[in-house]
Amino acid sequence: MCLGTIAQVVEVHKDGRAVVEDHGKRQLVLEMTVSDDDITVGDWVVVQSGFALERLTESEAREALRIRESTGGQPT
């Protein structure tokens, strides 16, 4: 099973791309798949296969990261 990662947006480009950071690793993703308003620096997103799929609140992101870390990164 392939799980998305939880990452924080660190750069937003005008061409529909953004740079996100997950545990110190940066990745360029397409943000046009987030269904609501444009993402901004500091937002948390779920990323899978190079696409930002969904925006999360900071509390949702932190809770998801806490659960992942407590289960060794494996699905529960």
Side-chain angles (χ1 to χ4, degrees):
M1 174 189 285
C2 183
L3 296 175
T5 59
I6 308 298
Q8 190 168 29
V9 177
V10 294
E11 294 176 24
V12 176
H13 300 270
K14 293 183 180 184
D15 62 357
R17 298 179 303 151
V19 177
V20 298
E21 187 171 315
D22 172 33
H23 291 91
K25 290 176 54 181
R26 290 188 175 201
Q27 174 184 1
L28 184 64
V29 299
L30 291 173
E31 56 105 356
M32 67 182 100
T33 54
V34 176
S35 61
D36 52 359
D37 297 331
D38 291 335
I39 61 176
T40 59
V41 172
D43 283 348
W44 289 89
V45 292
V46 177
V47 176
Q48 186 168 357
S49 301
F51 294 93
L53 299 177
E54 180 179 357
R55 184 191 336 241
L56 302 174
T57 65
E58 184 171 357
S59 62
E60 290 171 329
R62 299 237 181 253
E63 179 66 7
L65 291 170
R66 184 193 66 74
I67 291 168
R68 287 233 173 126
E69 290 169 7
S70 72
T71 61
Q74 300 301 314
T76 56

